[in-house]
Amino acid sequence: MDFELTEEQRMFQETARQFAGKEIAPIAEKVDELAEFPRETIRKLGELGFMGVAVPQDYGGAGADSVCYALALEEVSRACASHGVIMSVNNSLYCDPLVKFGTQEQKRRLLVPVASGKHMGCFCLSEPNAGSDAANQETTARREEDCYVLNGSKNFITNGSEADYAIVFATVNKDLKHRGICAFVVERGTPGFAVAHLEKKLGIRGSSCAQLTFENCRVPAENLLAKEGEGFRIALATLDGGRIGIAAQAVGIARAALEASLDYAKQRVQFGKPIAANQAIQFMLADMAMEIDAARLLTLNAALLKDRGLRHTKESSMAKLYASEVAMRAGIKGVQIFGGYGYMMDYPAQRFMRDAKITEIYEGTSEVQRMVIANALLS
Amino acid sequence: MDFELTDAQRLIRDTVREFADKELAPLAAELDRLKRYPEKPLQRLAELGVLGMTMPPEYGGAGADTVSSCLALMEISRACASTGVTVSLHNTLTCEIIYRHGTEGQRRRYLPALCRGQILGAFSLTEPTSGSDAASLRTTAIRRGEHYFLNGTKLFVTNGSRAGAIILFASTDLSRGDKGITAFLVEPSFSGFRVGKREEKMGLRASDTAELVLENCQVPVENRIGEEGEGFKVALSSLVTGRAGIAAQAVGIAQACLVASVRYAKERRQFGQPIAEFQAIQWKLANMATEIEAARLLTLRAAAQKDRGLPCTMEASMAKLFASEAANRAAADAVQIHGGYGYIQDFPVERYMRDARVLTIYEGTSEIHRLIVARQLLSPSPLPSPHSWGEGKGEGPQGGPEEGMGAWCVRDGGDL
């Protein structure tokens, strides 16, 4: 049992920390305020290899492990959660399933451009009527000669308006329920594929969240991942990894809230002493720090299992569930410690709280994570 | 980074697990009900090499690391938390202190007997008016020739009436506060030593908790541990292993709660289906399992840091604080899942709940641990915090007011 980071892991963490501190943190407030997609810094993250951390170098990635990925993502999210989710979706939800389920040819064609950070990927599972109940896909795929024709609408797609490549889930036969679902890679510019609507959000405002529509969108059959009917299995396996990413993002947000609170509590003087001298404040800080460490350990535990090729469904859910709820609590405590200033947009505490909320919802709500964990315990 | 156990760690865990399941668990309810000291299980644990397991072989120990010690305590406590605390005190406080701070003569004299289970160890810091504020203890030690004469009353001493070797703290100079505290190795045969009241407890009823009365108790000078005035430092240094031990005990109790709850929820049928089918029950199980996993990782991280010789004051406090509170939540949920049966002694969960309750109190209350964590967070550089994960960590402040901390610095301590 060894809790020390390897040289490579330490290097990833350090590189991410430095880049995030220098380039991301200074623009985080503006990115949030203007709800502006941070193209330039995302491009630079790509150059650093952070858009395909765990993708083999042969396919344009950095060839590192999931631990490196989680550590880097924590650092990026600590500076700006919007950058964090953009990075997480690209890595976990687009690159990862291509690495695992793509053919050589698909990897060369569809993975390399995204893992290298030159282009962006997204993951289209949610629909207006398929949220937690993801198997209830209404988007259809009809085989026609060497194509599949897609019809339907996808909701809440992170990176949706920016992505050049989209993994899209659709059913070839609704009667088959989850066994009818397929996963396709759809390229931007394919006729019939359009961005219909951009959402305005409570937090992670620098990331894009789009509704995508498919109207008789003809996707070449060679863009089908694995086989017909395997889409749901691909989605679940992908989310096992994606949840590690969101857990890491949540740890980063929680840390940002704690660090800002620590600084503030030491400086803010009331009743003739820094508010940090009050046990009421100290206990909030201690709980935040303890929970952050617990959340990080759960996250790395899941990442280590993934790296060893072991089943990690339960552990990923535990990490995501716990870390997201920790981030939310830390966000709320952060605002409380800042008092009135915490409510003001001039201070970052409110942003951490707004950004934290989504981590309890996307890539499986807390309720879905508890279902996954309970199923594992009871099976 | 690798959270897999080594072969040696796995072997120790599996050995203790087998003993706990086969030999200890079947006795636990009766030991609790009769408040019977777990004499036989302790002897078996000595045979298995668990008593004093972290001591080097030359002193009779198994040379195991702190991670293994925690794994063993988890398994023992899963079956019987009373046996768990008895072993934890013996191993993580008495043996560790004698080995770390004792002279070669003291080690040779006591450690082999402690490792064989011939004598049991205890740790005696708390007094009637000195709990969390451990440095305010009033027991005095006055040197006359080749002996110290100790006077005072010690409270809540685990293993107190059973121990053959008691690490006991007294002040050789009350005017110097914590810098006047000195550690002694006291044997019950010393003149002037008497066991006072044996406490009746809510939980951990098979463990021994006693008051110790010292009336001119005559302790040879060679039984002083460290120098005069070094006692508080000795106490604090050992509390890291002690706290990891209690954290491990908490993980064990919580695990027992989860196992019992999963089994019961699958068997118990209401409204025509097992209650495990209800989300209200599933949620509790999922929360328990998640928190147990987090508690286990925090505990083993503190232990691993200790094994690498890294500072781990904050890590041990986080582990103890988190695990003890998680165990209490798990126990409360376990009783709730069992419904009326949870309140009845025929099922084990009421015992788990009683046993868990002390976890947030002894070896530093939750409040003390929050202060320790906060103090480390707020201390001037280097920041020994999670934020420097992967970087070199500085040793944080331990006890005593720190520069820049002013009046909100608290004292460490608080045992049972």
Side-chain angles (χ1 to χ4, degrees), chain A residues 1-4 10 13 17 258-259 277 282-283 286-287 293 301 304 308 318 322 367 370 378, chain B residues 1-4 266 283 285 287 289-290 293 301 308 318 321-322 370-371 386-387 389-391 408:
Chain A
M1 191 156 228
D2 179 8
F3 288 76
E4 291 302 300
R10 205 180 296 271
Q13 184 190 47
R17 183 176 292 172
L258 170 62
E259 288 170 6
Q282 290 176 15
F283 278 30
D287 282 338
D293 268 25
N301 184 46
L304 285 164
R308 300 186 57 200
M318 284 178 167
Y322 188 74
E367 290 69 28
R370 287 192 170 88
L378 294 165
Chain B
M1 178 163 268
D2 180 8
F3 291 178
E4 287 301 296
K266 284 160 105 170
W283 262 219
L285 297 174
N287 288 343
T290 302
E293 190 68 19
R301 178 185 63 161
R308 291 176 57 100
M318 282 181 171
L321 171 60
F322 186 90
R370 286 196 167 85
L371 290 174
H387 321 133
W389 242 59
E391 290 173 358
W408 72 80

Side-chain angles (χ1 to χ4, degrees), chain A residues 1-6 9-10 13-14 17 67 71 74-75 255 258-259 262 265-266 273-274 276-279 282-287 289-298 300-301 304-305 308 310 314-315 317-319 321-322 325 366-371 373-375 377-379, chain B residues 1-6 9 67 258 262 265-266 276-277 279 282-283 285-287 289-291 293-298 300-302 304-305 308 310 314-315 317-319 321-322 325 366-371 373-375 377-380 383 385-392 408-410:
Chain A
M1 191 156 228
D2 179 8
F3 288 76
E4 291 302 300
L5 303 182
T6 63
Q9 289 161 353
R10 205 180 296 271
Q13 184 190 47
E14 196 46 45
R17 183 176 292 172
V67 170
L71 293 169
E74 177 187 329
E75 295 300 327
R255 237 179 84 199
L258 170 62
E259 288 170 6
L262 274 172
K266 283 196 265 194
K273 59 187 179 185
N278 297 305
Q279 288 192 346
Q282 290 176 15
F283 278 30
M284 283 197 256
L285 296 170
D287 282 338
M290 172 187 74
E291 291 186 353
I292 289 167
D293 268 25
R296 182 188 292 107
L297 288 168
L298 286 173
L300 296 176
N301 184 46
L304 285 164
L305 289 175
R308 300 186 57 200
L310 298 173
K314 182 180 77 179
E315 289 76 9
S317 280
M318 284 178 167
L321 167 65
Y322 188 74
E325 298 197 343
S366 288
E367 290 69 28
V368 164
Q369 308 305 335
R370 287 192 170 88
M371 279 167 54
I373 297 163
N375 283 341
L377 292 172
L378 294 165
S379 68
Chain B
M1 178 163 268
D2 180 8
F3 291 178
E4 287 301 296
L5 302 183
T6 63
Q9 290 162 349
V67 168
L258 177 64
V262 166
K266 284 160 105 170
E277 311 257 313
Q279 288 192 340
Q282 291 177 8
W283 262 219
L285 297 174
N287 288 343
T290 302
E291 292 192 355
E293 190 68 19
R296 200 179 72 87
L297 290 167
L298 283 170
L300 296 178
R301 178 185 63 161
Q305 294 263 96
R308 291 176 57 100
L310 296 171
M314 182 159 83
E315 286 78 359
S317 277
M318 282 181 171
L321 171 60
F322 186 90
E325 298 197 340
S366 286
E367 290 71 24
I368 287 293
H369 288 296
R370 286 196 167 85
L371 290 174
V373 173
R375 193 177 61 203
L377 291 171
L378 293 163
S379 76
L383 191 66
S385 77
H387 321 133
S388 55
W389 242 59
E391 290 173 358
W408 72 80
C409 191
V410 295

Side-chain angles (χ1 to χ4, degrees), chain B residues 42-47 49 51-52 59-61 90 95 108-120:
Chain B
L42 287 172
Q43 205 45 54
R44 284 284 295 131
L45 284 166
E47 286 163 25
L51 296 190
Y59 300 112
H90 181 90
C95 291
R108 297 248 166 246
R109 173 136 182 236
Y110 290 101
L111 289 178
L114 286 162
C115 291
R116 278 197 299 270
Q118 282 168 330
I119 57 170
L120 199 70

